[in-house]
Amino acid sequence: MPPEATLTETSLADRLRRLIASGGPIPVSVYMAEANAAYYGYRDPLGRDFITAPEISQMFGELVGLWIADLWSRAGAPSIRYVELGPGRGTLAADALRAMRAASLAPEVHFVETSRTLRAAQAQRVPTATWHDRFADIPGDEPLIVVANEFFDALPIRQFVRGRSAWHERLVRIEGDSFVPAAGPAVPAGAIPASLGDAIEGSILEIAPTSAAVAGDVADAIAVRGGAALVFDYGHVRTGFGDTLQAMAANRYADPWAAPGEQDLTAHVDFQALGEAAGASGVRLFGPTTQGAWLGELGIDVRTEALSRAAPDRAPEIASARDRLVSPRQMGSLFKAMAFVAEGWPHPAGF
């Protein structure tokens, strides 16, 4: 680990301790936001701490590209902009754009990314991209095709725990030198959806206001400009209870309350809440369906066979990658796909 990384990580932990010591416990959302900002700000975690679908196989990005080309063609082949939120190393975009070019589609590329380290990696794979710190900064009025793969799971969540007679926001305090979660003061009844208010004592509810805001912004733009958004992430179809905050380090689960800034913090995406936030803008919602089912509908088995015929020596590796993406025992069921589509645009493939 480079010396500057150690300095950054140590400084974050110390800064959070000072913040808590001076102002009291902080919300889980603040802890998660600060930890991930530091974690992604100076490193490329892909492969080192976790791996995403585009890094497993080129087939994932290629099928996303074909999905876009098919939707674009049936919409009348308008001028569009390809937008990716949190594009990792740019692998998904590079594979998708290659598939799009084969279908005579070559859109402008816009990446929403704040990490300088990841921007450098993305520039190697997609040198024609334009980078933005915020989705709202994307200019023009052309239709947008927005892709978000494992983006929403890293956005900060608020956690609430049910006490004996009220809900309490979960806060992070210091115990010795360690960060630990604890129930804070009771929150107003209106802070919790009425349908979930009578949960049993000890229940934990997660709400993702940042995710809802981003989904709403994307849907607003699509409703006005036309186009669609395609979201992949792991999570649950319906809003429910449970503590899903987790950390990944060295491709293993880790303690989310240890070493802030040194490991990736994520939480399961609530697709019901995400859809409700987007649907308020008037876009049409499709899904969620499982990633395995979506890839199957898009033809991953046909693509697997074609790649295996072209490179027989790699056939076992290609089949293994296919299984990792679609098998219910691996990414196929936990990961979901959802689309937001503008009124007047075609029904998207795979849903």
Side-chain angles (χ1 to χ4, degrees), residues 111-326:
F111 288 159
V112 178
E113 177 63 72
T114 58
S115 166
R116 292 184 180 179
T117 300
L118 289 174
R119 282 191 180 194
Q122 293 154 15
Q124 292 180 358
R125 291 164 178 80
V126 190
T128 60
T130 300
W131 283 264
H132 308 276
D133 289 334
R134 304 178 307 151
F135 174 78
D137 294 334
I138 296 169
D141 56 7
E142 298 91 343
L144 303 176
I145 302 296
V146 182
V147 175
N149 178 60
E150 291 197 54
F151 171 78
F152 286 101
D153 65 277
L155 297 183
I157 59 166
R158 297 177 70 186
Q159 287 188 327
F160 299 88
V161 58
R162 177 68 185 185
R164 184 171 300 174
S165 59
W167 282 93
H168 303 257
E169 181 153 17
R170 211 175 189 201
L171 306 177
V172 181
R173 62 182 176 84
I174 297 294
E175 190 174 281
D177 283 333
S178 301
F179 298 98
V180 295
V187 299
I192 305 298
S195 60
L196 303 173
D198 294 330
I200 63 172
E201 185 176 351
S203 298
I204 292 177
L205 175 66
E206 296 176 341
I207 296 177
T210 303
S211 292
V214 172
D217 287 346
V218 170
D220 284 347
I222 288 170
V224 172
R225 297 171 61 154
L230 181 61
V231 176
F232 297 96
D233 230 311
Y234 66 92
H236 40 272
V237 172
R238 298 293 177 196
T239 301
F241 300 111
D243 178 3
T244 73
L245 182 66
Q246 64 186 35
M248 289 292 292
N251 285 294
R252 293 192 175 113
Y253 291 109
D255 179 1
W257 309 113
E262 297 181 41
Q263 51 198 16
D264 180 41
L265 295 185
T266 64
H268 285 211
V269 173
D270 180 346
F271 278 92
Q272 178 181 345
L274 203 68
E276 289 172 353
S281 300
V283 296
R284 294 175 297 143
L285 303 179
F286 296 89
T289 186
T290 65
Q291 176 177 290
W294 188 89
L295 290 170
E297 288 290 328
L298 267 290
I300 193 170
D301 291 335
V302 174
R303 186 59 178 147
T304 299
E305 292 173 5
L307 288 175
S308 298
R309 284 195 303 270
D313 57 319
R314 294 185 56 237
E317 172 193 344
I318 294 166
S320 176
R322 177 262 179 208
D323 291 344
R324 190 167 178 182
L325 292 174
V326 305

